[in-house]
Amino acid sequence: MSLLIRNGRVVTAVDDYHADIFVEDETVSLIGRDLDVEADRTIDAAGRLVIPGGVDPHTHMDMPFGGTTSADDFETGTRAAAFGGTTTIVDFAIQTKGHSTLEGLETWHEKAAGKAGIDYGFHMIVTDMEDDRLWEMRRLADEGVTSYKMFMAYPGVLYVDDGTLFRAMRKAGEDGTLVCMHAENGIVIDEIVKIALAEGKTAPKYHALTRPTRMEAEGVHRSIAIAEVAGVPVYIVHLSCADALEQVTLARDRGAQVFAETCPQYLFLDLSHYDHDDFEGAKYVMTPPLREKWNQEHLWRGLGFGDLQSISTDHCPFCFKDQKVLGIDDFSKIPNGGPGVENRMSLVYNGGVVGGRLSVNKFVELTSTAAAKLFGLFPKKGTIAVGSDADIVVFNPERRETISIDNPHTHHMNVDYNAYEGTEVQGVSEIVISRGRVVVEDNIWHGRAGGGNFLKRGLFGGPF
């Protein structure tokens, strides 16, 4: 099916112009003024932005954690992502400790195949990596899994020691791949948690109070230092605070290949969300936790100055009534994670562009282009150009919506609350196109489970 998008304002990370876009065979075929072509369907985008589909490089669909599994699987989660203007996700396959990473990859292929409604790739979470299995990392790269995630947090579950970090980082660097780091000092944090519980401090707010920003900053500093010695670029995931950002900025200033993302929860929510006499604060138990509000302006400045490259969601929702309650008497047993894959684009446009913090080009860079470049998807994804996949969003920059679980225009995620309940946003994805197919229009899902393709990603492309 061919598609012609007329009269739109086409915005990429570097371009801003009015033109028509002609799509054939899933890719962009022509771009120009007043195109004289026949198309199966024409969309009038007058008064709208026409932007690349969002790329969310950090999601957790169908992820087991804390005795339960995240509430969105690859069908519900990718559908919700599409409603919000995201057309590509990079999710995390998990190596079971003591087992092959290739087994983990196969498990996640089975989870996603036949379900994902938009295109997707995988990172691999490495939980151990002995010398005799290092060859698996090259095999993963050959399979298009060209980034790995390791944890300094969650001892006994996902945590890896510094020796494993260095061993895996060195191999990743040799192979031209990228290491993603969950950077917190989990060993010290576990000791702080033990003290809090012994003192009877069990409410959800103590999840935040036992994970101080200095422990995130220490983890960021240490992971960067190890990566520099190992000779590998490192990407800090879900950076939440000024302390941690300072370490990234210092490293980048001396020329280190360090990149970082933040998430909407750290830009729009804060520590006060834990201030409930009842269990409501559990909705915001995620790791890292929400921080004091003053950190937000530091993060916005980091985004504007280029020390933070991307805005992901770390989408990992757990239902409040059925799953978060696992920790009703002990905050350390509350499943860590929150929803957000659907609301990212509108939140960032409203807070960034409407709020005067970001240009519209920077908005596209942070929500699409940078992640596509960092994770081996550009220019197939992350831009609008002849030959690129026709992942396109017709975005209304003036339309307002109030985010709410009760608003059918803002909540399609399979979770019983919205972290941004009551937030009014300006800027809404109205028509969403995935590889030339309209998958969302008039708040109706036109895609299908299994319509998304697995993306074999390229090697790390270097700094930009």
Side-chain angles (χ1 to χ4, degrees), residues 335-385:
N336 286 202
V341 74
E342 182 171 358
N343 305 124
R344 178 182 68 125
M345 301 282 280
S346 288
L347 284 165
V348 176
Y349 187 86
N350 184 74
V353 180
V354 178
R357 299 180 176 100
L358 304 174
S359 69
V360 69
N361 299 104
K362 192 69 172 178
F363 161 71
V364 171
E365 179 184 325
L366 291 168
T367 57
S368 181
T369 312
K373 287 183 174 181
L374 281 162
F375 294 108
L377 293 168
F378 187 85
K380 185 180 178 71
K381 307 293 187 184
T383 193
I384 297 175

Side-chain angles (χ1 to χ4, degrees), residues 118-144:
I118 58 174
D119 291 353
Y120 62 96
F122 293 132
H123 312 279
M124 175 57 65
I125 291 176
V126 174
T127 58
D128 62 40
M129 185 56 65
E130 298 302 327
D131 288 326
D132 61 357
R133 284 216 314 275
L134 283 171
W135 63 270
E136 292 181 9
M137 296 179 69
R138 179 68 256 179
R139 176 73 65 80
L140 288 167
D142 291 342
E143 294 293 322

Side-chain angles (χ1 to χ4, degrees), residues 36 66 141 153 163 195 222 249 279 294 303 348 351 370 394 410 414 425 430:
D36 185 14
I195 293 168
R222 182 157 42 99
T249 303
F279 194 60
W294 61 265
L303 291 166
V348 176
V394 179
T410 65
N414 188 37
V425 291
E430 292 187 330

